[in-house]
């Protein structure tokens, strides 16, 4: 009965309960309880990154096997849950504030990011079109002077009305072919990549030479994942790894994965961001990464992702 009651408490309340006596301290640290919380709460989290992805074995049941009895699920939960992450955010020390001030006096080049992925093209509502027409979220600071064969262009935005950055949106093909593929549910080969000759596989081998210079110049990447549709993830895993190939650019460049749906409604299925991180095998990357939930209609969560991306690209915010 005590365990049942504790499952209705928040993690913060449980920690307070553990501070009342040694008995309750031992009770609230039970690994079964905290593994249950991880399994219950992870699908509801709106973001996960390379520092907060759970490092413990998570099966579909809160029951522990012998190998899990010594794992500290309580510490793991408190390390990775978004509420705790926000409380533990790094606060700059005095000398760091002074350094940041002097750095702000030095002009820096506008950071550039390459945006790609099926979520740009497969959803009913266009994420990029909404961003372009939402000056209250991200004001446009500069429009492209040219396009790359009709499937790529760069647009500058302002974050918090002061930090300019550029997004080069790289589509798989031109607008006419993209729209036909969306309406007919076709899976087209992306012109961004090179594929094995005489093969019908959509697994890319390398970046199309036309985009090499763009991908070498950018400070990071934004991958837009379709969070509405269950599917195989091999093609998308390969696309991310080709883009992040050390032969193309620096290993440390961050990648923001936007887990995108057209609109947030109670009856609309959304693939949890933790599941997307697992399916894309992001934990195996040497690069910093983050998965952030967003919706193309309202852009919820987008600014949190942009903030993370700019910080991990060296921009002082």
């Amino acid at each position: 009965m005590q365990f049942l009651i504790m499952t209705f408490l928040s993690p913060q309340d449980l920690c307070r309960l553990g501070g009342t006596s040694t008995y309750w301290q031992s009770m609230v640290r039970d690994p079964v309880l905290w593994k249950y919380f991880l399994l219950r709460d992870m699908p509801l989290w709106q973001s996960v990154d390379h520092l907060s992805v759970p490092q413990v074995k998570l099966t579909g049941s809160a029951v522990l096997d012998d190998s899990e009895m010594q794992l500290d699920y309580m510490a793991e939960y408190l390390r990775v849950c978004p509420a705790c992450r926000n409380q533990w955010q790094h606060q700059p020390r005095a000398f760091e504030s002074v350094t940041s001030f002097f750095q702000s006096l030095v002009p820096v080049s506008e950071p550039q990011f390459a945006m790609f992925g099926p979520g740009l093209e497969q959803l009913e509502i266009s994420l990029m079109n909404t961003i372009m027409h939402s000056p209250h979220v991200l004001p446009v600071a500069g429009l492209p002077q040219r396009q790359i064969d009709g499937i790529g262009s760069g647009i500058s935005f302002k974050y918090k009305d002061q930090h300019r950055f550029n997004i080069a949106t790289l589509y798989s093909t031109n607008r006419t072919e993209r729209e036909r593929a969306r309406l007919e549910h076709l899976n087209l080969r992306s012109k961004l990549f090179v594929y094995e000759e005489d093969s019908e596989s959509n697994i890319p081998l390398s970046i199309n030479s036309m985009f090499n210079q763009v991908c070498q110049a950018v400070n990071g990447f934004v991958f837009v994942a379709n969070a509405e549709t269950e599917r195989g993830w091999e093609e998308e895993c390969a696309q991310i790894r080709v883009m992040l190939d050390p032969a193309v650019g620096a290993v440390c460049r961050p990648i923001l994965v936007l887990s995108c749906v057209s609109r947030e409604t109670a009856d609309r299925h959304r693939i949890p961001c933790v599941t997307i991180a697992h399916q894309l095998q992001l934990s195996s990357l040497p690069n910093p990464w983050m998965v952030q939930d967003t919706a193309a209609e309202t852009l919820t969560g987008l600014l949190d992702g942009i903030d993370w991306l700019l910080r991990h690209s060296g921009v002082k915010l």
Side-chain angles (χ1 to χ4, degrees):
M1 289 302 295
Q2 290 172 346
F3 270 121
L4 178 61
I5 293 170
M6 286 191 288
T7 62
F8 291 99
L9 299 179
S10 69
Q12 293 84 350
D13 289 338
L14 275 176
C15 292
R16 296 187 185 101
L17 176 62
T20 60
S21 71
T22 55
Y23 171 78
W24 284 111
Q25 184 183 48
S26 64
M27 287 293 291
V28 303
R29 293 193 67 88
D30 191 287
V32 174
L33 185 66
W34 290 92
K35 183 179 181 183
Y36 165 79
F37 284 141
L38 272 173
L39 292 172
R40 182 196 67 183
D41 295 347
M42 277 196 308
L44 305 177
W45 292 345
Q46 297 180 345
S47 68
V48 65
D49 62 20
H50 62 291
L51 298 177
S52 62
V53 64
Q55 299 297 321
V56 296
K57 177 183 176 183
L58 292 175
T59 62
S61 169
V63 177
L64 303 182
D65 57 36
D66 293 340
S67 64
E68 297 178 286
M69 293 304 296
Q70 301 304 317
L71 297 176
D72 194 341
Y73 279 95
M74 177 180 178
E76 189 68 2
Y77 185 97
L78 297 177
R79 181 182 72 83
V80 303
C81 90
C84 297
R85 274 187 271 151
N86 293 337
Q87 292 178 5
W88 297 346
Q89 278 185 341
H90 170 68
Q91 297 296 326
R93 288 168 284 185
F95 75 88
E96 291 176 324
S97 299
V98 174
T99 302
S100 178
F101 168 73
F102 283 115
Q103 287 177 332
S104 69
L105 302 179
V106 181
V108 294
S109 59
E110 183 175 296
Q112 297 178 310
F113 306 103
M115 177 183 282
F116 67 106
L120 279 174
E121 309 171 17
Q122 296 175 354
L123 301 179
E124 177 187 352
I125 299 175
S126 166
L127 173 68
M128 203 61 204
N129 187 58
T130 305
I131 294 175
M132 289 289 295
H133 294 88
S134 302
H136 60 289
V137 179
L138 279 179
V140 174
L143 294 174
Q145 299 301 311
R146 65 184 182 89
Q147 289 196 342
I148 308 170
D149 194 28
I151 63 175
S153 63
I155 303 171
S156 293
F157 297 94
K158 267 191 176 181
Y159 177 64
K160 293 185 176 179
D161 290 328
Q162 54 180 327
H163 303 287
R164 286 176 61 113
F165 66 96
N166 183 278
I167 292 182
T169 310
L170 305 178
Y171 294 100
S172 65
T173 185
N174 60 55
R175 177 178 295 182
T176 302
E177 293 180 352
R178 293 198 308 266
E179 185 62 16
R180 182 174 66 87
R182 186 183 71 82
L183 294 175
E184 299 179 11
H185 303 287
L186 301 176
N187 187 18
L188 300 179
R189 277 188 170 185
S190 173
K191 294 182 179 179
L192 299 176
F193 305 103
V194 176
Y195 300 87
E196 185 178 351
E197 292 184 12
D198 302 323
S199 172
E200 296 183 357
S201 171
N202 282 343
I203 305 300
L205 300 177
S206 61
I207 298 176
N208 188 324
S209 59
M210 183 188 305
F211 300 96
N212 260 337
Q213 187 174 356
V214 174
C215 294
Q216 288 173 351
V218 298
N219 302 88
F221 297 90
V222 181
F223 181 82
V224 186
N226 179 350
E228 294 181 351
T229 308
E230 298 283 356
R231 60 197 179 277
W233 296 83
E234 295 83 1
E235 180 182 352
E236 292 168 57
C237 287
Q239 288 179 356
I240 289 175
R241 276 152 182 76
V242 165
M243 282 288 192
L244 297 178
D245 188 342
V248 179
V251 175
C252 60
R253 292 185 295 179
I255 179 167
L256 168 65
V257 176
L258 293 177
S259 172
C260 193
V261 295
S262 292
R263 52 176 65 88
E264 298 278 13
T265 58
D267 59 344
R268 184 178 290 269
H269 170 69
R270 170 190 276 283
I271 302 172
C273 65
V274 175
T275 301
I276 287 183
H278 173 73
Q279 296 287 5
L280 293 176
Q281 303 174 23
L282 298 179
S283 293
S284 65
L285 295 175
N287 310 65
W289 57 267
M290 178 186 189
V291 182
Q292 172 66 54
D293 283 353
T294 190
E297 184 179 51
T298 59
L299 304 181
T300 53
L302 176 66
L303 291 184
D304 292 331
I306 295 297
D307 186 278
W308 179 92
L309 186 62
L310 290 173
R311 291 179 187 276
H312 282 77
S313 301
V315 178
K316 299 294 183 180
L317 300 180

